[in-house]
Amino acid sequence: MNKTVVIYGSSTGTCQAIAEKLAARLNATAIDVQNLDNGLIEENTNLIIGTSTWGDGELQDDWYAGLKLLQSADLKGKTIALFGCGDSVSYSDTFVSALGVLYNGLKDSGAVFVGRVPVDGYDFTGSEAVVDGEFVGLPLDEVNEDDKTDERIDSWLESIKDKL
């Protein structure tokens, strides 16, 4: 596996905990997006990027600057996998929509995206993170479905590990 970093933005600690779990399973480092710089982007081939969704499908606050930094970086030859935390009950119409914001902001960067997840098994009414009937990354609901998190992470990592 090429060098991998897990980059997260977290306001309450939930996305950070998921990022640290992913990093441990990938033998990688988890870093807060506030600490992201061009050197870190350049030295890693794989970027596992995570955010929580706020308000009406908005990015976690720290990701606005982080997304701009990634958009200005040379991502050609990089592999990107996205994961996100959301609440499928209280925010059913914007469930993990911030994943869609990140994806749309980076999809033309030249990076290869991996880790799409079928919508089957998720109960929600809408999401900007759904493209062609699949989530653009791993959606997690630690509020209502935390009992499914480990299984979803394991399945997702199994599906992407040969691409990293």
Side-chain angles (χ1 to χ4, degrees):
M1 183 169 64
N2 293 307
K3 192 161 182 196
T4 301
V5 63
V6 180
I7 308 161
Y8 66 88
S10 189
S11 296
T12 64
T14 302
C15 198
Q16 178 180 356
I18 298 297
E20 290 170 352
K21 191 177 283 196
L22 289 167
R25 292 181 183 174
L26 291 168
N27 196 25
T29 301
I31 65 130
D32 190 309
V33 67
Q34 294 177 79
N35 299 319
L36 184 63
D37 61 33
N38 282 318
L40 196 61
I41 296 167
E42 289 172 16
E43 70 186 43
N44 287 279
T45 305
N46 304 312
L47 309 175
I48 312 296
I49 300 173
T51 186
S52 49
T53 298
W54 290 90
D56 284 334
E58 298 160 18
L59 284 172
Q60 187 271 343
D61 288 342
D62 301 324
W63 265 112
Y64 289 100
L67 180 56
K68 285 181 183 174
L69 178 63
L70 285 169
Q71 288 171 324
S72 70
D74 181 5
L75 299 179
K76 290 175 186 68
K78 306 281 185 193
T79 298
I80 294 177
L82 303 171
F83 70 96
C85 301
D87 180 338
S88 64
V89 174
S90 298
Y91 298 96
S92 180
D93 58 336
T94 59
F95 179 57
V96 298
S97 282
L99 283 180
V101 175
L102 287 175
Y103 175 76
N104 287 326
L106 298 172
K107 68 182 180 184
D108 297 324
S109 66
V112 174
F113 284 82
V114 299
R116 286 182 173 241
V117 173
V119 298
D120 301 338
Y122 291 90
D123 189 18
F124 68 103
T125 58
S127 179
E128 286 185 47
V130 175
V131 175
D132 298 328
E134 293 181 303
F135 287 104
V136 295
L138 174 65
L140 298 168
D141 183 346
E142 287 291 275
V143 176
N144 306 293
E145 299 181 337
D146 61 326
D147 58 319
K148 298 179 181 180
T149 296
D150 284 330
E151 180 182 331
R152 286 174 171 166
I153 287 173
D154 290 342
S155 176
W156 186 66
L157 288 175
E158 185 64 28
S159 76
I160 66 171
K161 71 178 182 182
D162 64 335
K163 298 169 181 87
L164 300 178

